[in-house]
Amino acid sequence: MKRKILKTGAITLALSMFCSIGAFANQTRNVEYKDDPFSSLYTDDYGVSHYITGTASCSATVEWIEGYYGWVNSANFPKPHATIEGNIVNFRSKGPLTMTGSIAYYEYYINRENHIARPTVGCDEYGDTSFYVNCW
C-alpha cells in the first residue's frame, strides 16, 4: 500500500511539473496593421488647434508568456499618410525605433514643426496586440 501511494505521488508530481513547464512556454506571432485610421487634435506653436486625420501601418513580431507578460521583438513603422484641414502632412523621421518591454514606437515630426506623431504597437500577457497613433 505504501509503495502504491509513493508511485501515485511520483506520477502526480511528474505530471504537474510537465504541465507547469508547458504553461511557461513562449508564444510568438507576427502582426500587421495596414492603413489603420487615426485622428488627433493638437495645438501648433502659435496656439492654434489643428485636427489631423490619416492612416498608419505597422508590422511587428510579438512574444508573450501566457498570463505573465508580453513584449515586442521587432517592429517597422512606415511613414503615416495624413492631412491637416485638407492639406497633406509631411512627416519627417525623428527616430530611432524605441522598444520598451510591451510596446514599440517610432516618432515622426509633423510638417516643419516640433510636433510629434507617434505610431505605437503593444502586446499584453495574453498575446493581444494594439496599434494606435498619438499626436502632440
Side-chain angles (χ1 to χ4, degrees):
M1 181 69 166
K2 189 176 181 181
R3 191 174 263 203
K4 192 173 193 178
I5 293 172
L6 287 175
K7 186 176 180 181
T8 303
I11 290 171
T12 304
L13 180 61
L15 285 174
S16 68
M17 287 176 57
F18 176 75
C19 292
S20 296
I21 291 168
F24 292 106
N26 293 9
Q27 299 180 55
T28 304
R29 74 180 162 104
N30 295 325
V31 294
E32 187 166 349
Y33 293 91
K34 185 79 171 148
D35 297 327
D36 272 23
F38 71 92
S39 61
S40 183
L41 186 67
Y42 80 97
T43 305
D44 68 15
D45 295 335
Y46 303 103
V48 178
S49 294
H50 297 279
Y51 193 63
I52 181 172
T53 60
T55 60
S57 300
C58 171
S59 59
T61 302
V62 297
E63 195 167 345
W64 69 98
I65 296 177
E66 192 77 26
Y68 288 93
Y69 53 89
W71 62 96
V72 179
N73 284 335
S74 65
N76 181 38
F77 300 97
K79 283 185 182 180
H81 300 283
T83 60
I84 297 175
E85 298 152 2
N87 298 313
I88 294 174
V89 175
N90 178 29
F91 289 101
R92 289 182 301 123
S93 175
K94 183 176 183 238
L97 174 66
T98 301
M99 294 181 17
T100 59
S102 65
I103 66 166
Y105 62 86
Y106 196 84
E107 293 182 335
Y108 292 96
Y109 289 113
I110 299 171
N111 288 333
R112 292 190 175 105
E113 301 177 23
N114 288 324
H115 296 281
I116 304 294
R118 178 190 284 174
T120 304
V121 65
C123 179
D124 71 10
E125 67 272 20
Y126 298 103
D128 296 327
T129 58
S130 59
F131 177 63
Y132 54 92
V133 179
N134 288 332
C135 300
W136 66 89

